[in-house]
Amino acid sequence: MNYDWELIKSTVKSLQKEKRYKHTIGVANEALNLGKIFLPKKLEKLYLAGLLHDITKDFEKTEQLRLCEKYGIEISINIPPKLLHAKTGANFAKEKFSTEYVDSEVFDGIFYHTTGRANMSIFEMLIYLADYIEDGRTFEDCVVLRKFFYDKIKFSKTMEEKLETLRKTMLFSFDLTIKNLIDEGKIIDADTIESRNYFLTTKLLMEE
Ligand code: DGI
Ligand code: FE
Ligand code: FE
């Protein structure tokens, strides 16, 4: 695919605050780093999903709700508002750039980047993880998780070992997130719980 990177970047930049745009570039770059390890044939698509993952993150809550209505995104009474941007973002990006750019893989990468889901694809995992460990993140859990992953991946020789490192890192990330949500008294989305259980119980295999 011949992506117009300048158009994509300037569009996202115009919709985000400066700090958020920096994070966006960080995620796109980290998605590339992870892609080189796990999905070397999908580097451009990973970079694209990284650029688009938080495209609606800085929109006001009323705008998020308007977009949910517009795209037919179901809002259960329990859904934490923070989770809306992933779902509105996937739909908004698809509308803005067409399905040639935002195909179902990119769409789902954006859609599930905050909660994950049971049986998520490797592509979805890499966007989720890139978001968590990109260089600009200084929150302690992010620093710990980044080190956890890169310390282990160094010694992972075969793809089977690399996927086991990915599984352990994903499990650890959900454990950290869920612990924080409990400490803060927040609602935990079913997808977040199911993701944690999935990585606890399932050995990852390379798709194809
Ligand atoms: O958009 P970002 O800040 O870059 O990152 P993100 O989309 O992964 O959002 C991270 C936030 O989402 C973090 O504060 C934890 C929160 N989160 C993740 N899963 C859940 C959740 N919040 C609630 N209330 N419930 C969840 O299940
Ligand atoms: Fe996000
Ligand atoms: Fe993000």
Side-chain angles (χ1 to χ4, degrees):
M1 173 70 62
N2 213 346
Y3 298 109
D4 185 343
W5 297 113
E6 285 319 307
L7 173 72
I8 296 162
K9 285 184 180 175
S10 63
T11 303
V12 174
K13 191 169 192 216
S14 74
L15 297 168
Q16 293 182 331
K17 296 175 183 148
E18 203 176 318
K19 201 171 154 214
R20 175 68 42 189
Y21 184 67
K22 262 194 167 165
H23 161 72
T24 290
I25 297 297
V27 174
N29 286 329
E30 186 59 36
L32 275 187
N33 292 338
L34 296 173
K36 285 173 195 161
I37 303 170
F38 294 102
L39 292 178
K41 289 183 191 150
K42 295 191 175 166
L43 294 183
E44 288 203 316
K45 254 173 66 145
L46 284 162
Y47 192 73
L48 176 68
L51 287 178
L52 297 177
H53 84 284
D54 272 342
I55 191 166
T56 59
K57 175 84 179 193
D58 288 339
F59 290 9
E60 303 282 347
K61 188 167 171 208
T62 49
E63 179 64 4
Q64 297 289 352
L65 294 172
R66 194 187 67 80
L67 291 176
C68 285
E69 173 93 33
K70 174 175 176 186
Y71 299 125
I73 299 162
E74 213 183 302
I75 326 173
S76 74
I77 35 171
N78 287 332
I79 195 167
K82 243 199 178 157
L83 304 189
L84 293 180
H85 79 281
K87 303 177 195 307
T88 57
N91 285 282
F92 183 87
K94 184 164 100 178
E95 183 179 86
K96 201 115 199 130
F97 296 107
S98 88
T99 48
E100 266 186 61
Y101 278 24
V102 184
D103 64 7
S104 65
E105 198 165 38
V106 174
F107 185 94
D108 288 339
I110 303 170
F111 197 92
Y112 293 105
H113 86 262
T114 307
T115 60
R117 60 168 164 170
N119 296 303
M120 62 199 290
S121 67
I122 306 274
F123 189 97
E124 288 163 37
M125 290 175 209
L126 301 190
I127 298 304
Y128 169 93
L129 185 58
D131 188 24
Y132 213 116
I133 67 171
E134 63 94 359
D135 276 348
R137 294 262 202 214
T138 53
F139 186 59
E140 194 191 341
D141 286 352
C142 302
V143 176
V144 168
L145 196 75
R146 188 187 302 130
K147 186 167 162 30
F148 179 90
F149 175 76
Y150 279 107
D151 282 352
K152 284 203 183 339
I153 205 73
K154 264 193 294 200
F155 298 105
S156 309
K157 296 282 177 259
T158 63
M159 185 47 77
E160 190 177 12
E161 287 168 358
K162 287 174 189 174
L163 287 170
E164 184 55 8
T165 292
L166 181 60
R167 183 191 70 80
K168 285 190 180 134
T169 306
M170 294 297 290
L171 175 60
F172 189 23
S173 82
F174 283 102
D175 282 350
L176 290 168
T177 295
I178 290 169
K179 276 185 211 168
N180 285 331
L181 292 171
I182 289 174
D183 288 345
E184 293 161 8
K186 301 249 174 75
I187 291 175
I188 303 176
D189 191 81
D191 279 336
T192 305
I193 306 272
E194 285 178 18
S195 299
R196 192 263 176 178
N197 291 341
Y198 175 69
F199 290 109
L200 186 67
T201 55
T202 314
K203 183 181 153 114
L204 302 183
L205 296 171
M206 192 41 76
E207 301 143 0
E208 243 164 348

